[in-house]
Amino acid sequence: MVKCPNCGIEAPADAPDCAGCGIIFAKFLAQRERERKEAAEFLARAEARPSAAAKNRRGRVAAVVLLLIWCGGLFWYYVDALNELDERVQSDLRARSRASAPAVSPR
Ligand SMILES: [Zn+2]
């Protein structure tokens, strides 16, 4: 006696099909083997994919870090340039007001 792999009913060992659910054992087992292989292949592909995703993630992280460094450098460059410009404008204004204050009297 063997147990039907589909419904679990006991069938004679030499029976070609199941008396309970009607499946043909050889066909059913071949089908199950094919599905098992497909599932294994699918799993292998699914396992191969995360490493590529991780590589992409590392690349993205590196790109973001580089972008942040670049933006930071640009930011500090402009802050520095603006500070310098501001100082120049301030000293220019001071010099101009010192030069023009005695000549032009306020209304
Ligand atoms: Zn069965």
Side-chain angles (χ1 to χ4, degrees):
M1 297 289 270
V2 292
K3 242 185 182 167
C4 169
N6 189 42
C7 65
I9 275 180
E10 297 272 331
D14 59 345
D17 54 7
C18 173
C21 64
I23 61 157
I24 296 162
F25 291 140
K27 235 171 149 180
F28 181 84
L29 291 176
Q31 164 91 22
R32 204 146 85 157
E33 181 64 16
R34 201 162 59 233
E35 278 169 7
R36 197 192 59 77
K37 262 186 200 152
E38 275 170 18
E41 274 168 31
F42 178 80
L43 281 178
R45 275 202 302 274
E47 270 166 29
R49 231 176 286 137
S51 75
K55 221 191 286 178
N56 281 347
R57 199 159 53 231
R58 270 202 298 278
R60 266 202 299 275
V61 167
V64 165
V65 167
L66 280 176
L67 194 71
L68 283 177
I69 290 170
W70 184 74
C71 280
L74 208 64
F75 177 73
W76 283 115
Y77 173 80
Y78 275 111
V79 165
D80 207 43
L82 281 175
N83 278 339
E84 215 169 282
L85 188 71
D86 194 46
E87 266 166 41
R88 254 207 311 261
V89 167
Q90 295 279 335
S91 65
D92 195 43
L93 281 176
R94 251 175 290 159
R96 217 179 291 181
S97 68
R98 257 203 308 277
S100 61
V104 181
S105 52
R107 261 177 273 173

